[in-house]
């Protein structure tokens, strides 16, 4: 559809938006692929429940199973405009950019060598995924990955088990936290927090 000629008011509205604008509206529909938002400003959409659209990755920093774990139909939301989808004539929005990034908060208050207690979230072929709480997860590799120390593959871990881990590295650009086991000896002499 040629949105410029079919819906010039909608097209003009989308062109008036700038990345970083804060838009408010009401959650109009929740689908398995994202959330439609009827924006307070601007026109309605001729074929969709709302001009605003929140893709699943933009709903929350935290993990969730279903979009209804984050929002519900009729809920008022404020979102950041991150771009226009000219194919569907939608304002692409982000809810999570208006919330603190839990990984950044973790990185700001954590040092390499710091010990934590976490819960085994998953045992994967490459290592143990550990929930460090507050939406932060780290990996204890079973084998060395890019020179990082490995946990013994002989160790038997179960989902839900609480274990002690040490922060080996935080990679903010790749959004990864590598962990090791405190008994690996790599951090001998490092003062660990409790």
């Amino acid at each position: 559809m040629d949105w410029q000629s079919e819906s010039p008011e909608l097209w003009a509205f989308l062109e008036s938006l700038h990345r970083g604008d804060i838009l408010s509206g009401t959650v109009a529909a929740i689908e398995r692929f994202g959330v439609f938002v009827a924006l307070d400003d601007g026109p309605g959409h001729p074929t969709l429940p709302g001009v605003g659209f929140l893709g699943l990755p933009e709903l929350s920093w935290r993990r969730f199973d279903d979009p209804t774990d984050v929002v519900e139909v009729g809920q008022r939301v404020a979102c950041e405009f991150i771009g226009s989808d000219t194919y569907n004539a939608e304002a692409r929005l982000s809810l999570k950019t208006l919330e603190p990034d839990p990984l950044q908060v973790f990185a700001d208050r954590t040092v390499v060598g710091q010990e934590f207690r976490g819960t085994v979230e998953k045992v994967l072929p490459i290592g143990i995924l550990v929930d460090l709480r507050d939406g932060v997860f780290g990996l204890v590799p079973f084998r060395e990955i890019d020179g990082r120390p490995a946990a013994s593959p002989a160790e038997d871990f179960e989902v839900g088990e609480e274990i002690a881990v040490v922060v080996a590295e935080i990679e903010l650009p790749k959004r990864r936290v590598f962990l090791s086991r405190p008994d690996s000896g790599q951090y001998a002499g490092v003062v660990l927090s409790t």
Side-chain angles (χ1 to χ4, degrees), residues 58-63 80 94-108 133-136 172 175:
E58 295 302 325
L59 282 175
S60 178
W61 292 107
R62 306 201 188 287
R63 293 175 32 162
E80 183 175 331
S94 178
L95 199 56
K96 76 179 187 182
T97 57
L98 299 181
E99 299 290 327
D101 177 354
L103 184 58
Q104 183 65 59
V105 171
F106 178 81
D108 290 346
R133 294 176 188 55
D134 299 323
V136 177
L172 283 173
R175 302 196 57 77

Side-chain angles (χ1 to χ4, degrees), residues 167-190:
V167 175
E169 185 176 355
I170 300 171
E171 291 184 351
L172 283 173
K174 293 183 179 180
R175 302 196 57 77
R176 301 190 302 193
V177 176
F178 283 97
L179 305 169
S180 67
R181 299 287 284 148
D183 54 5
S184 69
Q186 179 181 358
Y187 298 101
V190 174

Side-chain angles (χ1 to χ4, degrees), residues 44-169:
H45 197 285
T47 60
L48 299 174
V51 171
F53 183 77
L54 288 158
L56 296 180
E58 295 302 325
L59 282 175
S60 178
W61 292 107
R62 306 201 188 287
R63 293 175 32 162
F64 57 89
D65 295 323
D66 189 89
T68 59
D69 295 341
V70 182
V71 294
E72 59 187 43
V73 173
Q75 179 180 337
R76 298 280 305 150
V77 291
C79 304
E80 183 175 331
F81 174 72
I82 57 174
S84 291
D85 175 347
T86 55
Y87 182 78
N88 293 311
E90 297 171 329
R92 291 297 176 129
L93 307 172
S94 178
L95 199 56
K96 76 179 187 182
T97 57
L98 299 181
E99 299 290 327
D101 177 354
L103 184 58
Q104 183 65 59
V105 171
F106 178 81
D108 290 346
R109 64 175 185 177
T110 304
V111 296
V112 169
Q114 191 168 346
E115 186 173 325
F116 287 90
R117 295 211 52 86
T119 306
V120 175
E121 176 75 12
K122 288 183 182 176
V123 179
L124 304 166
I126 62 168
I128 311 154
L129 185 64
V130 178
D131 181 352
L132 299 171
R133 294 176 188 55
D134 299 323
V136 177
F137 295 83
L139 178 72
V140 180
F142 282 145
R143 57 191 178 300
E144 189 174 298
I145 299 176
D146 299 330
R148 292 173 185 88
S152 168
E155 292 180 288
D156 187 21
F157 298 98
E158 292 187 27
V159 172
E161 175 183 2
E162 189 173 292
I163 62 171
V165 293
V166 175
V167 175
E169 185 176 355

